[in-house]
Amino acid sequence: MTTDEDSSPCAGGDPYALALHTGHGPVYLRLEDGCRIRMPVHRWYAHPTVADESVLNRCVGPVLDVGCGPGRLCRALLGRGVFALGVDVTPRAAAHTIALGGIALCRSVFDRLPAEGDWQTVLLIDGNIGIGGDPRALLDRCIQLTAPTGLLLVEVDPDDVEERCTARFEDIHGHEGPPFAWARLGAPALHRIAENLDLSVTDQWRYSHRRFLALGRQDSASGPR
């Protein structure tokens, strides 16, 4: 998970940056309405879960992992012999990915990226559909990055929600990081946005409380995998 603002939490002492440094929380996402969501920091550093494996099994290389964090997914793909590049706007996240054996760039998904239009799979996992606070703009950008037959694999909120807000990271003592634009999106909202962008939902599945969808261009010959 990552933010996509110049003021994104990466400075020393920020709760999010501290969680990345230590590899454990607790750290929370505090939304505008006061809702506080605990971030699964332990999962970001652990081996892929069964739910993660369900995503990895659907990946065709080359893979771009947007908001890669410490890089557990792109590192797992490299271990399978699938080329994967992580992208994260937070320097500490990209550095951790590299230190742990992955490949990553410290860059925004909206910046110029390598091999634009050639990625077979683009990942938006761990809530990263919220990057930048505008899911439509993010999906539009990600489809620009994919090959004509490529897929976007997106993790959505398990609830039927469509929310854009300003959020902050917060530690257990209530110390806050800087604000950033964020969004939460459930499957029905993603279906609506995808249709508006001429994208088809080619697959959808869930494991426990986590829910995922695969999106492809409507004129693509690729079907469900």
Side-chain angles (χ1 to χ4, degrees):
M1 177 172 185
T2 186
T3 65
D4 196 53
E5 294 279 302
D6 290 340
S7 59
S8 60
C10 58
D14 179 86
Y16 177 72
L18 183 61
L20 286 177
H21 179 68
T22 62
H24 58 81
V27 65
Y28 303 90
L29 186 69
R30 175 72 77 174
L31 304 181
E32 226 167 12
D33 62 3
C35 178
R36 190 170 81 160
I37 302 169
R38 184 165 180 164
M39 297 288 96
V41 180
H42 64 284
R43 193 176 78 212
W44 300 343
Y45 283 87
H47 293 294
T49 64
V50 174
D52 292 331
E53 293 285 352
S54 75
V55 174
L56 298 173
N57 291 340
R58 288 169 166 83
C59 288
V60 175
V63 178
L64 183 68
D65 184 5
V66 177
C68 66
R72 79 183 186 286
L73 298 181
C74 55
R75 288 185 284 111
L77 286 166
L78 287 169
R80 294 176 172 212
V82 178
F83 180 80
L85 173 68
V87 175
D88 202 297
V89 75
T90 307
R92 195 163 280 170
H96 272 295
T97 298
I98 295 168
L100 293 170
I103 305 171
L105 294 175
C106 181
R107 197 171 298 178
S108 166
V109 65
F110 294 102
D111 292 338
R112 183 70 183 172
L113 294 173
E116 294 203 7
D118 289 331
W119 297 97
Q120 286 294 334
T121 310
V122 174
L123 300 180
L124 288 168
I125 306 300
D126 295 329
N128 285 328
I129 186 63
I131 289 173
D134 186 344
R136 189 189 189 286
L138 178 62
L139 289 171
D140 190 39
R141 170 58 176 153
C142 287
I143 204 66
Q144 292 172 17
L145 296 169
T146 62
T149 57
L151 288 179
L152 309 181
L153 302 185
V154 183
E155 182 172 1
V156 294
D157 197 281
D159 299 321
D160 182 2
V161 62
E162 185 173 7
E163 177 184 9
R164 298 184 188 184
C165 62
T166 298
R168 296 175 183 266
F169 284 109
E170 176 181 289
D171 67 17
I172 196 170
H173 304 292
H175 299 139
E176 296 180 336
F180 54 89
W182 194 248
R184 295 172 63 212
L185 207 66
L190 183 59
H191 274 269
R192 290 192 295 270
I193 294 173
E195 185 176 2
N196 186 255
L197 291 171
D198 293 327
L199 300 175
S200 295
V201 176
T202 65
D203 195 4
Q204 51 189 320
W205 69 100
R206 65 168 71 226
Y207 269 93
S208 185
H209 65 285
R210 299 178 67 189
R211 187 168 184 179
F212 308 90
L213 290 89
L215 307 178
R217 290 178 174 86
Q218 288 185 359
D219 58 356
S220 171
S222 62
R225 301 183 186 189

